[in-house]
Amino acid sequence: MKHLIPTLALLLVSTLFVRADNMDELIQSATKILEKRQGSVDPIPNEILANAKGVAILTITKGGIGIGGQGGEGIIMVHHDGNPKTWRAPSAFGISGASLGAQLGFSTIRYILILNTQDAIGQFVGVGKIKWDATAMGTAGQDTGSASESTRDLEQHAVLVYRDSGGLFGGATFGGSSIEVDDDVNQKEYGAHIHVRDILEGKVQIPQSTTRLYGLLDGKRD
């Protein structure tokens, strides 16, 4: 029975969350999320993006009726610390989780995660639970809390979270959820024998569809 409840929760959410078929769909989704943020009155400062070791952009659907669950997907891009700095090809990943308690309704939450440490990036390389907690995460922007910390202070967080959410679970977070590399999407894009480390180490060709996304990450607004 203890295994049945989480399974039912995930099945319930999966009926509302349809995964992307390919990398281009994930890139286009990430581009729209970042365009909205950077076109808002509270964009991510260029300094934070320029100094990030990596960025993950994802969408999560969370909710339930009594039984709670969540499902999501996104891409992570590593910032190669060269001269000049460049963004390496994106790797796809999925997120899932379940929880108990009085829950009613569903919500879609979009995140932009600024990854400031190698350990934070490492969470997207293997299979396991996301271990970030409040001491490792900062929030910024009007829709996530307070932007009272300086840019330098924010960069001290292992993970900096920008969130765009709505619905009954608008304040939801995803710490403790399971994250897994989406090998199907990655290998469809880069080749049957490509490993996630090959992607993040810059051993594959960057998709052409990232042009707008990477421009935004480099501070271009137009």
Side-chain angles (χ1 to χ4, degrees):
M1 181 66 179
K2 65 180 181 180
H3 299 297
L4 179 60
I5 292 177
T7 300
L8 290 174
L10 294 177
L11 286 173
L12 184 60
V13 172
S14 66
T15 61
L16 296 182
F17 185 82
V18 180
R19 292 194 177 278
D21 291 329
N22 54 60
M23 181 65 72
D24 280 349
E25 287 187 21
L26 290 174
I27 290 170
Q28 292 306 317
S29 175
T31 302
K32 290 178 181 178
I33 293 170
L34 190 56
E35 278 182 332
K36 181 178 179 181
R37 165 58 64 176
Q38 297 308 84
S40 71
V41 296
D42 189 29
I44 303 171
N46 288 344
E47 183 179 352
I48 285 180
L49 290 169
N51 293 332
K53 291 188 178 298
V55 172
I57 304 177
L58 59 146
T59 300
I60 290 179
T61 296
K62 182 180 176 71
I65 303 174
I67 301 171
Q70 62 185 22
E73 63 184 355
I75 54 175
I76 175 176
M77 297 143 289
V78 170
H79 211 180
H80 175 50
D81 194 14
N83 187 18
K85 281 189 172 182
T86 56
W87 293 95
R88 289 175 171 167
S91 173
F93 63 87
I95 286 182
S96 62
S99 60
L100 301 178
Q103 302 183 46
L104 178 65
F106 294 87
S107 177
T108 296
I109 313 161
R110 289 160 289 275
Y111 291 99
I112 302 169
L113 307 182
I114 308 300
L115 309 174
N116 292 318
T117 68
Q118 288 301 131
D119 286 342
I121 291 173
Q123 297 274 280
F124 294 88
V125 175
V127 178
K129 295 285 186 180
I130 296 176
K131 302 179 180 65
W132 304 327
D133 57 27
T135 63
M137 300 173 69
T139 60
Q142 295 178 352
D143 57 15
T144 62
S146 172
S148 60
E149 291 183 272
S150 69
T151 298
R152 179 170 296 180
D153 289 337
L154 288 171
E155 289 176 357
Q156 302 307 307
H157 292 284
V159 182
L160 183 58
V161 180
Y162 288 81
R163 185 180 64 228
D164 175 21
S165 59
L168 298 182
F169 290 105
T173 60
F174 54 92
S177 299
S178 294
I179 187 166
E180 185 173 1
V181 174
D182 193 331
D183 286 321
D184 290 341
V185 169
N186 282 345
Q187 292 178 8
K188 184 184 295 185
E189 177 68 29
Y190 303 117
H193 302 293
I194 292 297
H195 188 272
V196 61
R197 292 188 183 276
D198 298 324
I199 302 170
L200 300 185
E201 290 175 3
K203 297 178 181 179
V204 300
Q205 186 172 351
I206 298 173
Q208 292 184 350
S209 55
T210 60
T211 299
R212 173 60 175 162
L213 176 61
Y214 284 14
L216 289 165
L217 290 173
D218 287 334
K220 299 175 182 177
R221 304 291 174 86
D222 297 329

